[in-house]
Amino acid sequence: MISNSSRRKSRWYQSLTLRLLLLFWALLFVTASSGYFLAVWNRATPEPQPVAEPIKRTIAPLLQDPVTFLSLEPGRLIAGNYRVAARVSAAGQQKLMLDEYLGEQHRRTLLRFLNYEQTMQMPLADRLLIGPFELNGNKVLVTRPLQAAEWQDQAQAERELTQARTWAIVSGSFVIAILLGVWLIRPIRRLSSATREIAAGSAEPNLAKLPNRRDEIGDLARSLAQTARDLAVSRDAQRRLLSDVSHELRSPMARMQVALDLTDASEDDAHMQQLRRDTERLNLIIERILSLSKLENGLVNLNKEAVDTGQLVARLIDDIQYADAALGQRLEQQHAQWPELQSDEELLRMIIENIVRNALHYTDGTVELGYSLSDNQHRISIRDHGPGVDDDLLAKLFEPFYRGDPSRKHKAGVGLGLALSQRAAVVLGGTLSASNHPDGGLEVVLTLPQD
């Protein structure tokens, strides 16, 4: 049971609405700022590498003379395309000198390079930065334009880096989307499943931990659980009422039947004959209600045995023909490979007989009984050749006390035969359905699982 304290309304800070608003705001903020972050993050940051030997062999000999080394100033051409980018002097007034352009654009990179203990190289914009070269405590950095092969290597590295980071963003966002989807959809799916369980008659639907939540979903789960219990109590009370009333009526009805049988009344007495017919009809209604109550409350014990369905149908036709030859002549058992099933013979016969008698009572033509095997399911079909039933009324045929569509000729029935058959079919593990046959008439199909 859920305590009263757990049914109180969620506080504002526990509201799912508030959390969703915050979540959507965060998503919009991330979307708006993602362009900036991607642009910054996707900037390829080259890493320094040890200087290539050909470059070292070209520059190092030119920087061995102390006089030449001290005369180097930023921007000076050393040899070929190599120019001085920065210099640090061990003594003098201007200890640090940087190339004017490079100093403005890449000052931090130049200072970092000057502090390296070994000579390194790194692409810097459209140039290759090399250094530091050291002599007697003095250091210089050198640059030259990037060559075609170096341009291609740098572009390839940037593409690979961009692709890797893009995939990382896509994968990360996909995982986050899945987590958000699970967080939002999973409770709804659980509530939907619990609703189907309640519709199937469950008094304790599986709501997992949803009733413990403190938001709107928790309120809904607790209300759904309470609704399931209330419906179960109402159903049980209704079934008990039907069963109790039926039991209470059986005794006086039986005494009335005996009294009528003992009454010495002429067969020409219309009033007494009408009384007998009404009494028999009431007995039939009470018997059907009791049977329906037993099925719905699980009081029917199955007695499964090998049942030859072909013989069962043949005996049913013979019994009906014995009682009423005219009705029996209208029944036609189709020649099919009728199977032997492990089932309850009495319950199975009751289902088929109720459907057959319903077809005989509501139509005047032939009633066909057939069998087929489809999708590992046994299908026993009973088809009449009447006018059929409107499509919107087909589902009502299995409702208790529903007594036929006006388009079908009504002769008899109390509206419980098909309802009783449907409950019995469920007890046997099967289903019962009705549809209008393409060639005319109503077809009721009993589907049972294949052993």
Side-chain angles (χ1 to χ4, degrees):
M1 290 293 292
I2 300 176
S3 61
N4 292 330
S5 60
S6 64
R7 295 195 185 101
R8 63 177 181 271
K9 292 185 178 180
S10 303
R11 299 183 183 275
W12 68 269
Y13 54 83
Q14 296 171 330
S15 171
L16 180 63
T17 304
L18 178 61
R19 277 186 271 176
L20 288 176
L21 288 175
L22 292 175
L23 175 62
F24 292 144
W25 174 83
L27 290 175
L28 290 174
F29 177 78
V30 170
T31 301
S33 57
S34 60
Y36 171 78
F37 286 114
L38 286 175
V40 173
W41 193 31
N42 279 328
R43 287 180 182 174
T45 304
E47 294 294 332
Q49 299 176 352
V51 67
E53 286 298 327
I55 298 176
K56 196 172 185 179
R57 288 195 299 268
T58 302
I59 301 299
L62 302 175
L63 302 177
Q64 297 297 322
D65 182 23
V67 177
T68 302
F69 199 98
L70 292 175
S71 66
L72 296 176
E73 294 183 356
R76 178 179 173 180
L77 186 65
I78 300 177
N81 292 326
Y82 292 93
R83 293 181 181 273
V84 177
R87 190 189 79 177
V88 174
S89 301
Q93 295 182 349
Q94 290 186 324
K95 291 187 177 182
L96 175 63
M97 300 178 65
L98 302 176
D99 179 89
E100 183 176 355
Y101 172 76
L102 294 177
E104 292 179 357
Q105 300 294 325
H106 308 287
R107 181 182 179 87
R108 295 180 61 182
T109 303
L110 296 176
L111 295 178
R112 176 164 56 89
F113 248 70
L114 288 170
N115 290 322
Y116 288 159
E117 295 182 356
Q118 66 178 99
T119 306
M120 308 290 286
Q121 69 180 42
M122 183 184 74
L124 189 66
D126 59 345
R127 308 185 67 80
L128 182 67
L129 179 63
I130 310 165
F133 295 95
E134 185 175 0
L135 182 64
N136 299 329
N138 301 302
K139 295 182 179 181
V140 294
L141 299 179
V142 180
T143 65
R144 68 161 172 79
L146 290 175
Q147 298 176 354
E150 294 170 340
W151 273 110
Q152 293 177 359
D153 292 342
Q154 184 179 11
Q156 179 65 23
E158 289 180 354
R159 284 195 298 270
E160 292 177 354
L161 180 63
T162 300
Q163 290 176 358
R165 289 177 172 174
T166 301
W167 278 111
I169 292 172
V170 171
S171 302
S173 60
F174 181 70
V175 171
I176 294 174
I178 290 177
L179 294 176
L180 288 175
V182 170
W183 181 70
L184 290 172
I185 300 301
R186 191 174 181 181
I188 297 176
R189 291 175 63 90
R190 172 57 59 192
L191 290 170
S192 177
S193 176
T195 303
R196 288 192 293 270
E197 293 177 22
I198 294 173
S202 174
E204 295 291 338
N206 183 14
L207 291 167
K209 296 182 179 180
L210 293 184
N212 298 329
R213 292 180 56 150
R214 309 303 306 164
D215 53 17
E216 290 86 347
I217 290 182
D219 292 338
L220 179 58
R222 289 187 288 274
S223 299
L224 198 61
Q226 186 61 46
T227 300
R229 286 191 291 272
D230 293 343
L231 285 174
V233 171
S234 177
R235 283 194 301 268
D236 292 341
Q238 182 184 23
R239 291 170 182 173
R240 284 195 301 270
L241 177 62
L242 284 174
S243 180
D244 293 344
V245 169
S246 300
H247 276 292
E248 292 297 326
L249 289 175
R250 288 187 78 178
S251 296
M253 288 304 302
R255 289 193 296 270
M256 288 176 61
Q257 187 71 46
V258 172
L260 285 173
D261 292 339
L262 295 176
T263 300
D264 186 14
S266 171
E267 293 184 0
D268 296 332
D269 190 340
H271 300 293
M272 292 299 297
Q273 296 303 323
Q274 181 63 45
L275 183 59
R276 283 194 176 93
R277 287 194 296 270
D278 289 342
T279 305
E280 292 174 357
R281 185 177 179 83
L282 285 174
N283 275 326
L284 177 61
I285 293 174
I286 293 171
E287 193 64 35
R288 292 289 176 85
I289 291 176
L290 281 174
S291 300
L292 186 61
S293 178
K294 289 179 180 179
L295 286 173
E296 290 182 336
N297 288 283
L299 300 179
V300 175
N301 295 322
L302 292 180
N303 181 26
K304 285 194 173 184
E305 57 184 348
V307 180
D308 188 326
T309 55
Q311 291 183 4
L312 185 147
V313 171
R315 287 197 303 269
L316 173 61
I317 294 176
D318 290 340
D319 292 344
I320 294 177
Q321 190 167 11
Y322 179 81
D324 190 329
L327 290 180
Q329 291 176 358
R330 292 170 53 196
L331 297 175
E332 178 182 325
Q333 181 180 5
Q334 294 181 346
H335 298 287
Q337 296 295 327
W338 292 81
E340 184 177 271
L341 305 179
Q342 288 294 325
S343 185
D344 188 305
E345 183 173 2
E346 292 301 324
L347 209 54
L348 183 59
R349 169 162 174 151
M350 183 197 72
I351 297 172
I352 299 175
E353 184 172 359
N354 281 340
I355 301 172
V356 168
R357 291 191 179 278
N358 187 78
L360 292 172
H361 291 156
Y362 280 89
T363 63
D364 295 325
T366 302
V367 176
E368 300 174 356
L369 291 88
Y371 166 80
S372 63
L373 181 65
S374 176
D375 297 329
N376 295 325
Q377 299 284 325
H378 298 290
R379 300 176 76 255
I380 299 176
S381 61
I382 296 92
R383 178 199 169 192
D384 63 43
H385 287 74
V389 176
D390 292 340
D391 291 339
D392 56 346
L393 298 177
L394 285 173
K396 295 184 177 181
L397 293 178
F398 301 102
E399 294 179 1
F401 300 106
Y402 179 74
R403 300 183 61 183
D405 179 53
S407 65
R408 292 167 64 86
K409 185 177 179 181
H410 182 71
K411 290 184 179 180
V414 296
L416 286 173
L418 290 181
L420 185 61
S421 297
Q422 187 184 53
R423 268 62 165 189
V426 173
V427 172
L428 292 180
T431 59
L432 198 63
S433 61
S435 62
N436 288 309
H437 196 275
D439 296 330
L442 181 71
E443 183 178 44
V444 181
V445 178
L446 170 63
T447 303
L448 297 172
Q450 189 176 21
D451 295 336

